[in-house]
Amino acid sequence: MVSLWGSSKKDDDNEAAPSQNGESSEHIAQPRVSEADERTRLLPPQTHEAYLSPDDPAVSPYNLWSVRWLRYFTVFFSILTFLWWVLLLVSIFVSPPGMHARGSGFFDFSYTTLSLGLLLVVLLFFSTPSKAAQVTCLVIAVILLIDMILILTVPRLRVEEGWVGIASVVWAVLISVWTIFTDRIVSWGKREEEERLTGRSETRRTLREWCSVLTSTVILVIIAVVAVLLSATLMLRSRDASLAPPGERYYVDGDKYQIHVFCTGNSTDFKGKKLPTVLFEAGDGPFEGGMIQVAENGISNGSISRYCYSDRPGIAWSDNAPSPFSAGMAADVLSEALARAGEEGPWILASAGVGSIYSRIFSSRHGRDIFGLLMIDPLHEDLLYRIGSPNRGFLLWAWGIISPLGLDRLPAALFKGRTREDRVYGRSAYQGGKYIKAKLQESLVANSLTKNEVSSARNIQFDKTPLIIISSGIEVRRDSEWEKKQRDLTHLTRKLVSWDIVTKAPGEVWKTYDGREMIEKRLKELVHAERA
């Protein structure tokens, strides 16, 4: 049996054996081979059995306090980002004081969603860092940095996004850098703990770890694609911002945002007689992309002498208004913008579709300054539920949320040759975030605030105002309720001049030759009518 010093029983027997010269070992001490000296180990050498298995749960980067604190801070940042995300979600429907953005508000929501996604990926796969995740996060950080530079350097983008959008994109850049830093520190901590507890840095991964790495990489690649689309759409917006408005923008509502107003023509005829100005109110789309052909033809053929139009908030060159925003509020800011532009009227109000709701409220608030009403296939207040339905509101909200990705605008610009004019006021204008936000605001209050305002306007309306209704023959035949409500609108005042139904015209009556001819003819009658 081995003693503490490594001696055996055989050694002890040899010590008791007599030497060859007959002397005993008690008198002559013989040195022992196993005797301790200054080089003898006090403890036996360690064996590999003292290390832990790499699969042991104790082998974890969480053993390090630096790694733990990184996770605590990541959780804290996630809570902050989630609270900001909720606040931005609420601000789409109701603007908190001081948080109104003159743009759509969908871009800052997108950047915050991206930041929250990065933080959740870090938390879910915290203990399984990977080189792929670090490289992908680095790509995301570079793309977001480019977005931040664009927003800060392009004046129009900076104005539209405001401090809320700037804060959101800066936070997204910081979070992307934080994810890289966290992943690298956890990777270092994992390697340190493996060397300490297993004797070497582990290069292999378990199936569970490979699944985690694959899942996190796929999610981060999706986030990177989203960041690329956001950046591409932002570049389109930068390009569109270079398109100057034909008129001027005027601050309204306590200088919170600007409204675009354009006026042209002479306020008097060749005899020096003062003529009323035609104030156009477009329907669903921008005036510049539709009804403007009626106005320009009217100026060229002498049907009208002067006209003005204003883009409602969120459409074409006008900023988005705070939420909620009703038709009555739109009429108020239009009055303010016209006053700042020095336009005093008198007015002939020409409107189409849902724009007739806005014109009727404007007319009721300006009384005797209104010399005539011409409504083209107007929307009745009893039919406002059609644009205020919950389904339509939800679809507009969902469409707005994904609008920063440019899923329709980017292919149209790349493959269909859509220009900045198309995106600002033309056939692609409906794809923009500002337009979608304006329609969402319109939908949210259509059957409540707006309906109450237009019902009151009907009672206030000056009953001696000349009235002309031009209806779409296609819509009248297709929808009996629409025809009934068109007939009801002919009783809006007591001075109906004419109710015309253009047989083959769609809802946008001016798109047909007969429709344009009819509109120009009726406008000329109102503008040049003899007045007492």
Side-chain angles (χ1 to χ4, degrees):
M1 181 176 179
V2 180
S3 68
L4 179 62
W5 306 106
S7 300
S8 65
K9 185 175 181 181
K10 184 176 180 181
D11 294 334
D12 295 338
D13 294 339
N14 291 337
E15 290 177 0
S19 62
Q20 293 179 354
N21 57 9
E23 295 181 357
S24 92
S25 61
E26 294 178 359
H27 297 86
I28 300 175
Q30 296 291 335
R32 293 176 294 184
V33 178
S34 59
E35 186 175 310
D37 57 22
E38 69 275 9
R39 294 183 178 85
T40 304
R41 296 173 61 95
L42 296 178
L43 294 176
Q46 294 183 352
T47 63
H48 290 290
E49 295 178 359
Y51 288 119
L52 298 178
S53 168
D55 299 328
D56 195 310
V59 183
S60 171
Y62 289 116
N63 296 334
L64 299 176
W65 274 105
S66 57
V67 174
R68 293 186 190 181
W69 278 108
L70 280 178
R71 185 172 178 82
Y72 296 153
F73 275 114
T74 304
V75 172
F76 176 68
F77 292 153
S78 299
I79 294 173
L80 282 182
T81 307
F82 177 72
L83 293 176
W84 182 250
W85 183 85
V86 171
L87 189 59
L88 292 179
L89 178 62
V90 172
S91 67
I92 294 175
F93 304 97
V94 180
S95 300
M99 284 195 63
H100 166 61
R102 290 162 62 179
S104 66
F106 293 127
F107 261 84
D108 48 21
F109 184 79
S110 296
Y111 285 123
T112 306
T113 304
L114 190 146
S115 302
L116 189 58
L118 286 175
L119 289 169
L120 290 177
V121 170
V122 171
L123 288 176
L124 290 174
F125 307 101
F126 194 83
S127 60
T128 54
S130 67
K131 201 69 174 179
Q134 295 174 20
V135 172
T136 309
C137 288
L138 180 61
V139 172
I140 294 172
V142 171
I143 295 172
L144 291 176
L145 181 62
I146 294 173
D147 290 357
M148 183 183 73
I149 294 173
L150 277 175
I151 291 175
L152 291 175
T153 55
V154 178
R156 191 63 197 168
L157 293 183
R158 188 170 62 247
V159 166
E160 289 184 353
E161 294 303 319
W163 75 267
V164 176
I166 293 173
S168 298
V169 70
V170 170
W171 181 252
V173 173
L174 294 176
I175 290 301
S176 62
V177 174
W178 173 262
T179 57
I180 300 171
F181 174 74
T182 300
D183 205 75
R184 290 186 65 86
I185 294 298
V186 174
S187 181
W188 166 82
K190 187 174 184 293
R191 185 172 59 253
E192 287 291 315
E193 286 301 286
E194 287 173 348
E195 291 178 354
R196 184 175 71 87
L197 297 176
T198 68
R200 64 187 177 88
S201 178
E202 191 64 37
T203 56
R204 69 177 181 86
R205 293 182 186 271
T206 64
L207 178 60
R208 181 178 180 181
E209 287 176 331
W210 276 119
C211 290
S212 297
V213 170
L214 178 62
T215 305
S216 64
T217 303
V218 169
I219 296 174
L220 288 173
V221 168
I222 293 174
I223 294 177
V225 171
V226 169
V228 170
L229 293 176
L230 287 175
S231 185
T233 307
L234 202 61
M235 291 177 185
L236 275 185
R237 288 181 59 194
S238 303
R239 169 65 178 162
D240 298 344
S242 63
L243 184 63
E248 296 292 334
R249 295 188 181 102
Y250 298 96
Y251 278 102
V252 293
D253 194 13
D255 294 345
K256 292 179 183 176
Y257 58 98
Q258 290 181 317
I259 294 297
H260 172 240
V261 176
F262 174 79
C263 294
T264 187
N266 299 317
S267 57
T268 58
D269 60 10
F270 65 94
K271 296 180 180 180
K273 178 183 177 183
K274 184 174 177 62
L275 297 174
T277 299
V278 178
L279 180 60
F280 286 96
E281 187 70 51
D284 282 328
F287 174 83
E288 299 88 345
M291 293 181 69
I292 193 169
Q293 55 186 314
V294 175
E296 291 178 344
N297 288 344
I299 288 286
S300 61
N301 60 30
S303 298
I304 61 177
S305 178
R306 178 176 173 80
Y307 76 89
C308 292
Y309 72 87
S310 171
D311 296 318
R312 293 197 295 273
I315 296 178
W317 284 279
S318 291
D319 298 330
N320 283 104
S323 298
F325 189 73
S326 65
M329 297 175 186
D332 289 340
V333 297
L334 173 59
S335 301
E336 184 179 356
L338 290 172
R340 291 199 170 194
E343 298 292 335
E344 300 177 351
W347 308 103
I348 300 291
L349 302 184
S351 57
V354 69
S356 61
I357 297 291
Y358 297 85
S359 286
R360 287 171 56 189
I361 297 175
F362 183 88
S363 174
S364 69
R365 296 179 180 181
H366 288 265
R368 298 180 184 275
D369 289 334
I370 308 302
F371 280 15
L373 283 171
L374 185 146
M375 297 192 293
I376 305 168
D377 208 39
L379 177 68
H380 194 280
E381 61 267 27
D382 290 344
L383 300 180
L384 280 170
Y385 71 89
R386 295 185 178 182
I387 65 173
S389 66
N391 289 339
R392 183 173 184 269
F394 176 78
L395 291 176
L396 285 170
W397 174 80
W399 191 15
I401 291 298
I402 65 173
S403 64
L405 301 179
L407 298 178
D408 44 10
R409 307 186 86 188
L410 292 174
L414 293 174
F415 306 114
K416 296 182 180 180
R418 297 288 188 265
T419 63
R420 56 182 182 171
E421 289 81 7
D422 291 325
R423 292 187 294 272
V424 173
Y425 62 81
R427 49 188 168 177
S428 297
Y430 70 94
Q431 301 169 348
K434 287 173 54 181
Y435 178 88
I436 298 171
K437 175 70 175 294
K439 288 302 171 182
L440 176 60
Q441 290 176 319
E442 184 179 78
S443 175
L444 290 173
V445 297
N447 209 28
S448 53
L449 292 178
T450 296
K451 186 174 183 179
N452 292 336
E453 290 166 347
V454 72
S455 297
S456 299
R458 183 161 193 164
N459 297 325
I460 301 172
Q461 173 64 48
F462 187 56
D463 60 1
K464 293 183 180 180
T465 303
L467 172 66
I468 294 176
I469 304 290
I470 300 176
S471 300
S472 160
I474 294 176
E475 294 297 325
V476 166
R477 289 193 304 272
R478 183 183 64 85
D479 189 344
S480 60
E481 187 178 15
W482 186 267
E483 188 272 337
K484 178 182 177 182
K485 297 304 179 181
Q486 294 287 293
R487 187 180 303 277
D488 179 70
L489 286 173
T490 61
H491 304 293
L492 191 60
T493 70
R494 296 181 180 178
K495 197 172 182 180
L496 177 66
V497 176
S498 175
W499 178 26
D500 302 303
I501 299 177
V502 184
T503 307
K504 297 182 180 180
E508 295 176 327
V509 177
W510 58 88
K511 288 189 173 182
T512 64
Y513 177 78
D514 291 341
R516 287 193 300 273
E517 288 289 310
M518 182 62 68
I519 294 171
E520 293 168 16
K521 174 185 175 182
R522 297 307 184 190
L523 276 176
K524 185 175 183 178
E525 291 177 7
L526 289 176
V527 170
H528 297 280
E530 293 293 331
R531 295 176 179 87

